[in-house]
Amino acid sequence: MTEFIDVDVRPILRAGGEPFSIIMAALERLEPWEGLRLLAPFKPVPLFDVMASKGFAHREAELEGGEWEIRFMPDDGSSAAAEPAPAAPSDGDWPEPTVHLDNRDLDPPEPMVRILASVERLAPGQTLSALLSREPVFLFRELTRRGHQWRGGFTPQRDIYQLTVRVRT
């Protein structure tokens, strides 16, 4: 039987904060037999793929007032969805970016919205570069779903995430 560690992100979100790093920190502290019980003011659908890629299945229950309890349990691998991988460095030469976005001062989900809108205006094979204040984990799956490739990583100072997206050809 799985034991659960509670993470209540409702106060963080109500205060305008971003709880993703707190959820990931709690996840790193789990023992192999433990799971994570998340309390949120909405159903955190994008988190399901992230947690599945880390080997966790989930069960969800709507609480009173539209709030949610999500139980993430270690998965035996049968329902884990692998996180899409970035394009490999050997994927040929990429052209210089046609569009440059600086999204460092924007709060989620605005960077994702701006990047997806800009990518849709590019011709096949063109690239876009973006600077972000955090790793855009929810964006990766959407880019892959739309057939685009991406490369990215933090600067050596770990203060800026640099992302390049190549539009599907």
Side-chain angles (χ1 to χ4, degrees), residues 32-159:
W33 62 88
E34 291 180 319
L36 187 75
R37 185 172 77 110
L38 180 72
L39 298 169
F42 57 86
K43 186 175 179 179
V45 175
L47 187 59
F48 298 163
D49 285 337
V50 173
M51 295 297 282
S53 74
K54 295 183 179 300
F56 287 84
H58 76 276
R59 289 204 170 81
E60 56 197 64
E62 188 169 7
L63 306 174
E64 290 185 31
E67 295 187 339
W68 289 82
E69 175 189 272
I70 312 296
R71 291 179 183 252
F72 293 101
M73 293 93 33
D75 193 1
D76 62 6
S78 62
S79 65
E83 182 174 328
S90 63
D91 285 346
D93 291 330
W94 285 25
E96 284 297 313
T98 304
V99 174
H100 300 271
L101 299 174
D102 187 344
N103 294 331
R104 292 177 289 178
D105 293 331
L106 301 175
D107 291 324
E110 192 61 29
M112 181 173 169
V113 170
R114 285 187 72 207
I115 291 168
L116 290 174
S118 295
V119 164
E120 294 308 314
R121 291 190 293 269
L122 295 177
Q126 287 186 314
T127 61
L128 166 147
S129 69
L131 301 177
L132 301 121
S133 59
R134 60 180 57 102
E135 184 177 16
V137 293
F138 301 126
L139 176 62
F140 298 148
R141 185 164 299 278
E142 187 60 27
L143 289 170
T144 301
R145 187 185 73 74
R146 294 180 184 204
H148 307 306
Q149 294 179 305
W150 56 271
R151 294 178 177 169
F154 281 101
T155 59
Q157 299 80 17
R158 303 217 34 94
D159 60 340

